[in-house]
Amino acid sequence: MNQQQQIIDEYQQHQNKKIWLTIILITLIAIAVIWSLLSGSVEISVTNIISVLLGQGSNKLQAIIWNIRLPRILTAVVAGSGLAISGAVMQSMLRNPLGSPYTLGISHAAAFGAAFSIIIFGTGSVHSSSADAVLVNNPYFTSGAAFICAMLTTLIIVAVAKYRNAATETMILTGVALGSLFTAGTTALQYFGSDVEIASIVFWTFGDVGRVVWSELGFMSALVLGGSIYFIYHSWNYNALDSGDETAKSLGVAVDKVRLGGMFVASLLTSLIVSLVGIIGFVGLVAPHIVRKISGGDEKYLLPLSALMGGLLLLVSDTAARTILAPIVLPVGILTSFLGVPLFLYLIIKGRKYW
């Protein structure tokens, strides 16, 4: 009886730990949002923020908060959440701790689509401002091209995996091959491009959450929310898959259908986010591993906690990128790469088994 009570107590402590982690992450995101609103080349106080949110304050402050800082902050949270939960699902579906959009070549495909748009259709140009010498003058067309190429890669991976009975090794190898193909294609386009076009490609691939406007943010938020609900609804199936395909099948899980569906939705979210904000590396890899190390691998909690962790990581990284060398704004992809590469190397060297 004492042993049974001990097991119950340990389980309750484990559940309480996850609840507290959720509360802590939400609190940290709220603090990071306030910090980000206060940070920038123009000094804004908490009183100014409250006044603007209440519909008061000067036109200048309202423009800065409503048109610049708030969309950027919310984009960082939503994009980080979408990338992180997609990364967690990819790692579970592939049963590979290094599973991510990079592994499947989705980010490389998006970069090729943007490069194709900039060089072939001329969507990159020189800006008259000394602060922004190079920009993409038709971001919607460029984002659309990036999205089409990323989704094309997803469809190829899903089609090949379905043909080969959805083997995880098949998905990874197909993604690696397509990633190499699109990288070569991007390099070839840059070889024939002008200096301005090459600079525009580099500018796009840096990753920037500040380029998203309210309408795009609304669409991205709706898709990320819908995808997250889909993932959490299937969390029990993902837990079964973590135990192996044979075990999952014995529990009544349609393994091929669940795996292909999860990979497709995760790739769809990633494709949309990358097409809008550019390439932001390693958030989808880092966030799930941090959460898994703290709270374990139960998908029911891993997925929403990974989304919260991803939103926090990207928001903090973007705020730091805006303030470290102010008034110079660093690309947020640089900081996320500095964070992600050490973990990536750690996983390779350590070879830790998560499943």
Side-chain angles (χ1 to χ4, degrees):
M1 189 67 179
N2 291 334
Q3 185 177 4
Q4 182 180 4
Q5 185 61 42
Q6 183 180 359
I7 294 175
I8 294 174
D9 291 341
E10 289 179 355
Y11 175 78
Q12 190 61 47
Q13 291 176 1
H14 193 57
Q15 296 298 100
N16 291 337
K17 183 179 180 180
K18 294 173 182 177
I19 293 173
W20 276 110
L21 179 59
T22 303
I23 296 173
I24 290 172
L25 287 176
I26 293 175
T27 303
L28 290 176
I29 289 175
I31 294 173
V33 168
I34 297 174
W35 172 44
S36 187
L37 281 173
L38 296 174
S39 303
S41 57
V42 177
E43 294 186 4
I44 298 177
S45 65
V46 177
T47 304
N48 295 141
I49 295 175
I50 295 175
S51 298
V52 171
L53 294 179
L54 293 176
Q56 303 172 358
S58 65
N59 293 333
K60 179 181 178 181
L61 287 177
Q62 290 188 16
I64 291 174
I65 292 177
W66 286 111
N67 298 333
I68 300 176
R69 294 190 184 178
L70 198 56
R72 186 185 190 108
I73 291 169
L74 296 179
T75 298
V77 174
V78 173
S81 298
L83 292 173
I85 197 170
S86 297
V89 170
M90 288 179 180
Q91 290 165 15
S92 296
M93 295 299 95
L94 299 174
R95 301 192 67 236
N96 188 323
L98 301 180
S100 71
Y102 283 90
T103 306
L104 297 178
I106 297 174
S107 297
H108 303 87
F112 173 80
F116 188 87
S117 170
I118 290 171
I119 292 180
I120 303 301
F121 296 104
T123 59
S125 67
V126 178
H127 195 272
S128 59
S129 170
S130 60
D132 292 315
V134 177
L135 83 163
V136 176
N137 59 24
N138 196 333
Y140 292 104
F141 194 93
T142 304
S143 297
F147 178 75
I148 290 172
C149 287
M151 282 309 301
L152 178 62
T153 301
T154 300
L155 293 175
I156 294 174
I157 293 173
V158 170
V160 173
K162 188 174 182 180
Y163 177 74
R164 299 288 295 176
N165 296 324
T168 57
E169 295 84 358
T170 301
M171 289 185 176
I172 294 175
L173 292 175
T174 303
V176 170
L178 290 174
S180 299
L181 175 65
F182 283 116
T183 299
T186 302
T187 303
L189 288 172
Q190 289 177 330
Y191 182 80
F192 292 104
S194 64
D195 293 343
V196 173
E197 290 170 339
I198 294 174
S200 298
I201 294 172
V202 173
F203 171 81
W204 188 91
T205 56
F206 273 156
D208 180 17
V209 295
R211 68 179 65 160
V212 177
V213 297
W214 280 108
S215 58
E216 297 169 343
L217 175 60
F219 180 68
M220 182 170 62
S221 300
L223 194 63
V224 169
L225 178 61
S228 300
I229 293 173
Y230 174 87
F231 293 143
I232 295 173
Y233 176 77
H234 287 281
S235 59
W236 188 90
N237 292 331
Y238 300 157
N239 276 328
L241 284 175
D242 289 342
S243 300
D245 289 2
E246 295 302 322
T247 301
K249 289 178 181 178
S250 68
L251 294 173
V253 177
V255 173
D256 293 350
K257 182 179 179 181
V258 169
R259 176 170 287 130
L260 292 175
M263 288 300 301
F264 182 81
V265 175
S267 299
L268 175 63
L269 291 184
T270 302
S271 301
L272 176 69
I273 293 170
V274 170
S275 68
L276 291 177
V277 303
I279 298 177
I280 298 178
F282 292 102
V283 172
L285 175 68
V286 172
H289 284 301
I290 295 176
V291 173
R292 189 177 282 112
K293 187 175 181 61
I294 297 174
S295 67
D298 186 352
E299 302 287 342
K300 177 181 174 183
Y301 299 96
L302 173 65
L303 296 178
L305 288 174
S306 294
L308 292 174
M309 182 65 73
L312 176 64
L313 285 177
L314 188 53
L315 177 56
V316 171
S317 298
D318 181 64
T319 306
R322 291 193 292 114
T323 56
I324 288 179
L325 298 177
I328 299 174
V329 179
L330 293 175
V332 66
I334 293 178
L335 292 187
T336 57
S337 295
F338 274 124
L339 177 65
V341 169
L343 177 60
F344 189 87
L345 294 176
Y346 169 80
L347 291 172
I348 294 176
I349 296 172
K350 193 75 174 178
R352 176 171 177 171
K353 185 75 173 176
Y354 284 92
W355 291 274

